[in-house]
Amino acid sequence: MNRKTLALSAVIGLLAPVLAGCGGSDGGSGGEAIVVGTTDQYIATKESIAPLDPAAAYDTGSWNVLRQTIQTLMHVPRGGGKPVPDAASKCQFTDRANESYRCTLREGLKFAGGDPITADDVKYSFERVLKINDPSGVAGLLTNIDTMESDGAREIVFHLKTADATFPYKLSTPPAGIVSKKVYEPTKLRKGFDVSGSGPYNFKAEVKGDTVTKATFTKNPDYKGDLNIQNSKVELQPFKDANDMGKALDDGDIDVMTRAMTPEQVQSMVEKPKDGIQLTEMPGLEIRYLGFDTDAPTVKDKAVRQAMAYTIDRGDLVSKVYGAMAEPLYSLIPSSIATHTNSFFNKYGDRNLPKAAAMLENAGIATPVKLSLNYTTDHYGEATAKEFETLRDQLNSSKLFEVSIKGEEWSSFRPNQIKGDYSVYGMGWFPDFPDPDSYIAPFLDKDNFLNTPYNNSRLRGELIPQSRREADRSAATKTFSQIQDIVADDVPVLPLWQGKQYVASRDDIAGVEWSVNSSAELLLWELRRGPGSS
């Protein structure tokens, strides 16, 4: 979620994909469409009636559909760095304080139905997200907008409540997508799986019951923007698990296998490359963490949360569950992002049981502390269950905690988490954009993604606004360091690990190395049939 030097040097250094295991091709799935497998599930439920509405969607799988179909004013270019115009022809801050931002639309923009797009449509789209203010927290990306001015044609100006040098990045996210008032009501979500916009593809979902069984993206002939579309059609095929997805790749039923591969699959492909299949390692900015309902009786006293920080051994967790696919994380901001500090390691180290026991004893908390760790069974990959078994065993073996674990499908887990039904829960995070702000504000600012009751007035009132004033992100290092130290002391969240990402593909598919960026965004327009990149 940068400014004059929006390209972060620590991130840029990651952007070199690594390929392994190239061999001969048997032609893959053939035909016109490139078929991409995923374990992401698209389900409409009573709690989540509009999984693909940009005013509500706030998970990687849904955003990966919206990025192909709903056009935004800006987008992050191939390889990362400073956002560039897409639906806009130009955008810029018009003041030194970074509080007023003007965009000019491209000429000839059209919605999928053929209606022209004006600045009024842009204004309407932003107002809609803010009015709906969905419990998912996605509106938080836009709440710093104070007012908007539209000339009714091609010019729109955003006046911000406070300085925000990250605003160009926010204009590249799906909630900033441009939608038509003819099909998206001003205060109601669009139910089901219909999506329409002016992006690179038109979209159609095949649905059985309340679940998408296949999603088809067909090149939008009216698209006008910055993207170079390399194919005419892509099919996204959901699978219930990574093993089924892997078999489909081996059988030639799909051409590309994306999230989420298991550690065992990756290790197998590295050690024993398969003929006709290539494995591409890509930079990743994914993190995993434990979240806390800081009002819940069992964890309201921060001494409990601090004792858990002393007890958990990240190195043991990573080696047992994820191997080379992950590394321990000691801050909300991953080590590959500029401004990262090892705040949690500096304060707690790894697995210091005497200090954990002293922390609880000094706070007058009886042991063992009984807790339930809640996690989602179908959203972050099959290894999640083993991860939480390992966490349970670590905590229980300390004799300071008595922990049980409970897994639920994402369709019920996420609404329950937002409602505050869990005292401790496991979550993952892919940044909205590659900036340290995207690892801080969604968890700690007002209207945050977690809907957490935790509220540190110094973070919200001073440090987070201060961090956004700096166009040169390195100038915000001291501020972000202070933020990370406060998080380590209060432990409203407990970082666990950061991951790498891998994509497996038939070797007659090219562009794979650019088809997933460091934020785990699918860029389907980069894929094409032709000699693979070996």
Side-chain angles (χ1 to χ4, degrees), residues 221-479:
D222 295 323
Y223 168 72
K224 293 182 182 294
D226 189 61
L227 304 175
N228 184 12
I229 306 167
Q230 298 290 315
N231 55 68
S232 59
K233 183 184 289 186
V234 178
E235 293 175 359
L236 190 64
Q237 180 65 63
F239 290 88
K240 69 175 183 178
D241 58 46
N243 289 327
D244 285 353
M245 181 168 59
K247 184 178 185 302
L249 182 68
D250 290 342
D251 293 344
D253 295 330
I254 64 174
D255 300 299
V256 181
M257 176 169 154
T258 59
R259 37 180 272 137
M261 297 177 65
T262 66
E264 292 78 13
Q265 285 175 321
V266 172
Q267 183 177 354
S268 175
M269 288 187 183
V270 170
E271 294 177 352
K272 298 178 181 179
K274 297 181 178 180
D275 189 44
I277 293 175
Q278 64 182 12
L279 180 69
T280 306
E281 177 187 326
M282 300 170 176
L285 296 175
E286 172 189 10
I287 69 170
R288 297 285 177 87
Y289 59 93
L290 293 179
F292 298 93
D293 178 352
T294 53
D295 280 349
T298 53
V299 295
K300 186 172 185 177
D301 193 320
K302 77 174 181 180
V304 175
R305 308 193 300 269
Q306 291 174 326
M308 291 179 69
Y310 274 123
T311 303
I312 288 173
D313 186 336
R314 294 169 179 81
D316 177 69
L317 174 67
V318 167
S319 65
K320 285 182 176 176
V321 182
Y322 293 102
M325 289 186 70
E327 60 185 61
L329 177 64
Y330 298 94
S331 171
L332 271 178
I333 301 174
S335 60
S336 44
I337 290 280
T339 73
H340 163 86
T341 62
N342 283 320
S343 298
F344 274 81
F345 185 82
N346 296 339
K347 187 171 179 66
Y348 304 103
D350 261 334
R351 190 73 171 177
N352 192 325
L353 297 186
K355 287 193 174 181
M359 178 67 64
L360 293 171
E361 183 179 359
N362 292 339
I365 296 171
T367 57
V369 179
K370 294 185 179 181
L371 296 172
S372 175
L373 303 187
N374 297 270
Y375 67 95
T376 174
T377 57
D378 61 342
H379 195 65
Y380 299 118
E382 295 173 48
T384 308
K386 185 178 179 180
E387 175 180 352
F388 275 80
E389 291 167 2
T390 304
L391 288 170
R392 176 198 61 199
D393 294 347
Q394 286 185 1
L395 291 163
N396 286 346
S397 66
S398 73
K399 308 300 182 184
L400 301 173
F401 296 92
E402 185 178 320
V403 171
S404 61
I405 58 176
K406 183 180 180 182
E408 291 185 69
E409 292 184 353
W410 178 256
S411 58
S412 58
F413 172 87
R414 174 60 172 148
N416 291 340
Q417 181 271 315
I418 292 173
K419 289 187 293 184
D421 288 352
Y422 309 133
S423 58
V424 190
Y425 50 88
M427 294 278 280
W429 182 251
F430 300 87
D432 299 326
F433 43 80
D435 183 273
D437 183 82
S438 190
Y439 292 92
I440 298 298
F443 305 99
L444 306 171
D445 207 358
K446 184 180 178 182
D447 302 316
N448 61 75
F449 164 75
L450 293 178
N451 196 32
T452 176
Y454 173 76
N455 181 4
N456 183 297
S457 58
R458 187 174 177 223
L459 289 177
R460 292 187 182 180
E462 175 190 346
L463 295 177
I464 292 176
Q466 183 175 309
S467 73
R468 290 172 174 164
R469 296 189 188 107
E470 303 293 348
D472 181 346
R473 299 313 273 157
S474 61
T477 297
K478 181 179 179 180
T479 303

